[in-house]
Amino acid sequence: MKQPYERPTLRKLTAGALHKFGPRAGAAPTTALDGVPVAELVARFGSPLFVLSERQLRRSYQAAVRAFGTRYPAVQLAWSYKTNYLNAVCRTFHQEGAWAEVVSGMELEKALLNGVPGPHILFNGPGKRRAELERACEVDAVIHLDNADELHLLLDVAVGRATRPRVALRVNLDAGIYPQWDRFGFNLENGEAWQALSRVVASGQLALVGLHCHIGTYVLQPKAYGTAATKLAAIALRCQRELHTAVQYLDLGGGFPSTNTLKGAYLPAADTVPPLDEYAETITNVLLGAGFPADELPLLVLEAGRALVDDAGSLIGSVLANKRLADGRRATILDFGVNLLFTSFWYDHHISPTREFSDHTEPTVLYGPLCMNIDQLRDSIALPLLAPGDTVVVHKVGAYNMSQWQQFINLRPNVVMVDEAGAVHLIRAAETLEYLQQLERVPAHLAGPRLSS
Amino acid sequence: MKLKPNIATSEAGFIFNPATGDSFAANPLAADILARAKAGLDAAAIKADILTRYDVAPGQLEKDWDDLLAQLRDFNLLDGSGKWEAGSEEQAMGKAK
Ligand SMILES: Cc1ncc(COP(=O)(O)O)c(C=O)c1O
């Protein structure tokens, strides 16, 4: 029998290790996802292929509920739809008990179709249209007010309704992190938030039920949430005192990091990202000590997105070609690029081969198949000597990719979910040219054959 | 293919260029190829031997062979300015004469 082949290659040895962290970790093969062989998944569903783990979705959800629920008596998670609004994912979280956090009329309808009762839908977003506000009122969703114009529009929409629309105020505040997200909601420090709250209550037309803030995304400082919780709790108490309105919930938004490594970070995220328990400890300590009577503690709402779903998603792809760049660097072209892996703009994603290789690795630039310069997945990753046809697995891609993916140059591929028993379900079929063209219309004068002059 | 005469190679794939102080790690197949080249075998003979011993298609081997030459050239390990074995790789790559 012939020996297995691995292309001949040389690696220059450098005194100071260039790739101090990570390279060896990258080389351990991932042969199966949730027990299903990668080769079988590719044979059945093609490549590229997104794979979601139902078990991991539930685990992450339950871990978050445990982190907060063991420290505070009333906790509610609201699944942030934009992070991943594939229905199978949303329904998994809803089965676990999640409400829905939506930011557009489309997402609102999606949540309703997924069986979420209107009152369990929190409607965020800086750009709500009149028809969307009317729809939200109709189904009794909670409208998280973003700005004064929206407040006035809603007051207009509220006229003549049998029930008062339920609202929460989105507050932006200085939580000690940079950059401060001040573009969403009403600012706390300059008095705008309090003014809006007074107006909401004085109007008599709206029911103030909550206060909301979302301080950022991938926030690495639990302390920042402590600051935000302190400030939100203080306004809630002031509402009670001065406006005689008891706020039912405090929503601290999302922004909890996943264990993906940010681009340019020196250490892998697994070693640097604080566990969710630290965030929970900080937030709940603040709320328990804020001065609410023990039987009037507000409900704590959280809109964790990436922290719940990132770990549960993987992307399988294939090597299309290898080439060498003008400066001698190795480049590998994969069958997916930033069209599917939007988050490669943010993260140095962990990427594994799917079979055993020798210990030899080569620093490689990873490109996608798009003909545009920005289609680069990693600028230097130590990978074994992959050959065309070899598959790789990109880990922790569950957040934002399956909603921000682009239908650009290539169609979107199959998405499957592995259930807890190991059965594989197609949850979004690969797009076809017919699907892509369904909504196009060709004007009559362009419909015929090409005119000759 | 002709390596610079002063380049040291070891069976384990360690390559050292005393002129520059650079050292390199070759994977097993690259080490094998370099050892044979140093022993004086020509490219055709080395390739034919690889095809009998390894599970690889001739087209893939040709492509990887060219890539190995590119690496050797890039690392400055080849003798002369690329005039090895006239009529072979360099010409095929349109660079020689
Ligand atoms: C209002 C709101 N809530 C929740 C989230 C989810 O954020 P993350 O995925 O960082 O947890 C976002 C995302 O930007 C958001 O804007």
Side-chain angles (χ1 to χ4, degrees):
Chain A
M1 219 184 75
K2 290 187 177 180
Q3 300 178 45
Y5 173 84
E6 199 167 72
R7 66 180 143 82
T9 190
L10 300 179
R11 180 164 44 91
K12 189 168 184 174
L13 301 171
T14 42
L18 259 180
H19 305 282
K20 197 167 176 187
F21 301 101
R24 300 314 305 149
T30 296
T31 55
L33 293 169
D34 273 15
V36 187
V38 171
E40 182 189 318
L41 288 166
V42 171
R44 279 183 67 192
F45 299 100
S47 166
L49 174 70
F50 277 106
V51 183
L52 284 151
S53 159
E54 183 180 344
R55 179 183 304 150
Q56 186 59 48
L57 289 173
R58 292 186 189 276
R59 259 194 206 152
S60 299
Y61 187 92
Q62 289 160 8
V65 167
R66 208 165 35 244
F68 287 91
T70 52
R71 295 179 164 93
Y72 192 77
V75 173
Q76 179 62 50
L77 300 191
W79 170 236
S80 177
Y81 260 49
K82 65 184 157 306
T83 317
N84 187 322
Y85 43 55
L86 292 177
N87 291 330
V89 171
C90 297
R91 283 170 182 254
T92 303
F93 287 137
H94 296 319
Q95 262 190 8
E96 290 286 332
W99 291 2
E101 184 266 335
V102 303
V103 292
S104 69
M106 178 274 280
E107 289 189 3
L108 173 66
E109 295 303 331
K110 231 173 183 304
L112 290 166
L113 287 171
N114 279 328
V116 184
H120 290 173
I121 300 176
L122 311 180
F123 190 5
N124 274 314
K128 306 182 194 82
R129 294 136 211 242
R130 184 182 185 100
E132 294 172 336
L133 291 173
E134 283 168 349
R135 178 71 170 141
C137 291
E138 188 183 305
V139 300
D140 203 19
V142 188
I143 297 159
H144 284 197
L145 292 168
D146 179 82
N147 58 70
D149 281 332
E150 187 176 276
L151 166 55
H152 287 281
L153 183 57
L154 183 62
L155 285 171
D156 205 37
V157 166
V159 172
R161 293 208 161 259
T163 54
R164 290 185 301 162
R166 297 187 309 138
V167 301
L169 198 80
R170 176 155 184 178
V171 175
N172 69 66
L173 45 78
D174 180 4
I177 53 169
Y178 183 83
Q180 183 182 338
W181 280 26
D182 62 358
R183 87 169 246 214
F184 306 112
F186 298 83
N187 184 252
L188 177 79
E189 286 83 11
N190 70 7
E192 192 190 21
W194 182 252
Q195 191 181 31
L197 283 169
S198 310
R199 186 160 303 247
V200 165
V201 173
S203 76
Q205 290 176 275
L206 305 173
L208 176 68
V209 296
L211 293 172
H212 170 266
C213 77
H214 172 76
I215 57 176
T217 192
Y218 203 94
V219 175
L220 289 168
Q221 303 89 339
K223 245 178 56 191
Y225 285 89
T227 308
T230 304
K231 293 185 173 185
L232 271 198
I235 355 175
L237 288 162
R238 186 171 171 201
C239 279
Q240 182 123 30
R241 260 193 335 267
E242 298 181 24
L243 303 176
H244 313 290
T245 301
V247 169
Q248 294 164 23
Y249 70 79
L250 299 182
D251 180 344
L252 282 167
F256 310 102
S258 70
T259 51
N260 261 310
T261 303
L262 286 182
K263 262 201 175 340
Y266 195 55
L267 292 163
D271 299 342
T272 55
V273 168
L276 201 55
D277 283 278
E278 264 181 54
Y279 295 82
E281 182 74 15
T282 309
I283 292 170
T284 56
N285 272 342
V286 165
L287 296 186
L288 291 170
F292 295 102
D295 54 347
E296 288 174 27
L297 281 167
L299 176 69
L300 169 59
V301 176
L302 300 153
E303 302 169 349
R306 70 178 77 241
L308 295 187
V309 76
D310 231 1
D311 285 8
S314 307
L315 174 58
I316 301 174
S318 306
V319 174
L320 296 177
N322 286 309
K323 71 199 305 183
R324 200 161 287 283
L325 303 177
D327 64 3
R329 280 181 305 156
R330 184 93 192 165
T332 291
I333 303 167
L334 297 166
D335 62 357
F336 61 91
V338 296
N339 54 325
L340 298 185
L341 202 64
F342 179 88
T343 50
S344 53
F345 291 129
W346 291 51
Y347 292 144
D348 278 341
H349 277 290
H350 178 54
I351 301 176
S352 306
T354 63
R355 64 179 174 91
E356 289 292 347
F357 283 87
S358 74
D359 284 347
H360 279 264
T361 60
E362 204 175 356
T364 304
V365 191
L366 282 187
Y367 291 125
L370 310 180
C371 31
M372 55 191 299
N373 261 339
I374 60 162
D375 191 23
Q376 179 177 310
L377 298 161
R378 289 292 298 268
D379 55 5
S380 179
I381 179 171
L383 280 175
L385 309 178
L386 299 168
D390 270 324
T391 49
V392 296
V393 171
V394 190
H395 303 271
K396 302 184 183 186
V397 303
Y400 296 103
N401 289 305
M402 280 158 265
S403 44
Q404 287 187 283
W405 49 6
Q406 302 165 42
Q407 175 279 304
F408 176 57
I409 299 182
N410 287 304
L411 297 166
R412 297 175 181 116
N414 281 319
V415 182
V416 296
M417 179 184 273
V418 183
D419 72 20
E420 291 182 288
V424 185
H425 307 266
L426 182 66
I427 61 168
R428 191 178 195 273
E431 292 173 348
T432 60
L433 185 57
E434 190 192 2
Y435 163 85
L436 176 61
Q437 304 203 114
Q438 233 168 38
L439 301 177
E440 286 196 49
R441 301 290 180 269
V442 176
H445 71 284
L446 298 176
R450 185 169 181 269
L451 300 175
S452 51
S453 55
Chain B
M1 164 185 350
K2 204 150 184 291
L3 286 180
K4 283 188 171 146
N6 59 341
I7 302 290
T9 59
S10 86
E11 239 170 74
F14 184 74
I15 296 163
F16 182 61
N17 182 350
T20 60
D22 289 338
S23 52
F24 305 87
N27 73 340
L29 185 53
D32 189 15
I33 291 171
L34 294 181
R36 279 160 203 267
K38 266 193 89 116
L41 263 74
D42 69 7
I46 300 173
K47 284 189 245 180
D49 178 55
I50 291 172
L51 288 173
T52 62
R53 288 190 295 137
Y54 289 92
D55 186 14
V56 59
Q60 183 65 45
L61 178 59
E62 281 303 326
K63 202 210 132 206
D64 292 342
W65 184 271
D66 288 348
D67 186 58
L68 178 65
L69 291 181
Q71 292 178 67
L72 291 168
R73 189 179 314 113
D74 195 45
F75 291 143
N76 218 357
L77 296 173
L78 288 178
D79 200 14
S81 53
K83 267 199 299 175
W84 10 278
E85 292 179 5
S88 70
E89 300 83 21
E90 283 284 85
Q91 258 184 3
M93 284 187 287
K95 286 196 179 169
K97 266 290 150 91

